Amino acid sequence: MSTIRLLVANGCSFARGAELAAPERDAWPALLGADLGLRVANLGCDGGSNRRVVRSTVAHLDVVRRAHRVTYDQILFFGMWTALCRDEYYDSRIEDGPVRPDLGVRPDLPEEPHWQRVADWKAAEGDRPSRAYLKHLFSTTGGTVNFFVDWLLLEHHLTQLGVPSRYAFAWEVLPDPIPAEAVPVMRALRADLVFGQLPPRPQDTFREMVVGRVPFGHWDHPLREGHRHFADALLRWLRTDERLHFPRAVGTASA
């Protein structure tokens, strides 16, 4: 069993740490990494999609690995899933910069600004590709099936590399009930790698775990207390996982 040396996190603003004064210190991946004695690479992108999580992880994981001088089996990948209605497309002619003050931060990765975010929040601001996508291409059933297929492909890719992975949800992103067409794919996923259960209970998602209990920012993101609370919950979960070995003994951090 290799000792984990690097935590690679990916997701949307809830993983990146939007509205935190110092996300590199106070976002849940940074807090969890510090508790476990790990270096941290946060690939999260404000306003990002699940498809972006898969694409950017597959494209850049080896670059991150070499930069930190670790082997694949010394990485713990932690993906945080977000809204199903989001997507992306590539356009080399333009760079996707900040549209709203809370959605402008992207990781420093090659070609990343050319990937255009497609989402309901962009449609509300008049973005034509987002409006067209949501009107003509997206459906809840199709989006759910696509999400589970993408997740399954990512998990198989990481398994082939020897990278252990774990997953959580930013909020209640899945429809209830799960469309029948998506159930067989969901059941092919390893539920033991998911914080809580699959599909997750509301109280096991980041936002629902802390809403009403801790301060939120102007754009509805949990602030430091929320990230600390969620990191502690993940720490307690990882504490029971004998398949992972960390440099620091896994305990419950204090706030």
Side-chain angles (χ1 to χ4, degrees), residues 74-137:
Q74 293 177 321
I75 296 171
L76 173 62
F77 174 78
F78 215 118
M80 173 169 273
W81 300 121
T82 187
L84 302 187
C85 62
R86 298 179 183 181
D87 211 309
E88 62 177 3
Y89 66 94
Y90 184 84
D91 192 331
S92 61
R93 300 168 298 174
I94 56 176
E95 293 191 357
D96 185 12
V99 178
R100 262 174 21 194
D102 61 323
L103 291 167
V105 179
R106 306 179 68 115
D108 184 18
L109 298 172
E111 296 294 302
E112 189 69 15
H114 294 299
W115 285 94
Q116 309 302 304
R117 292 167 289 191
V118 173
D120 51 356
W121 56 267
K122 289 193 73 173
E125 294 168 355
D127 182 61
R128 294 180 65 184
S130 293
R131 286 184 171 182
Y133 171 77
L134 291 171
K135 182 177 181 180
H136 300 292
L137 296 177

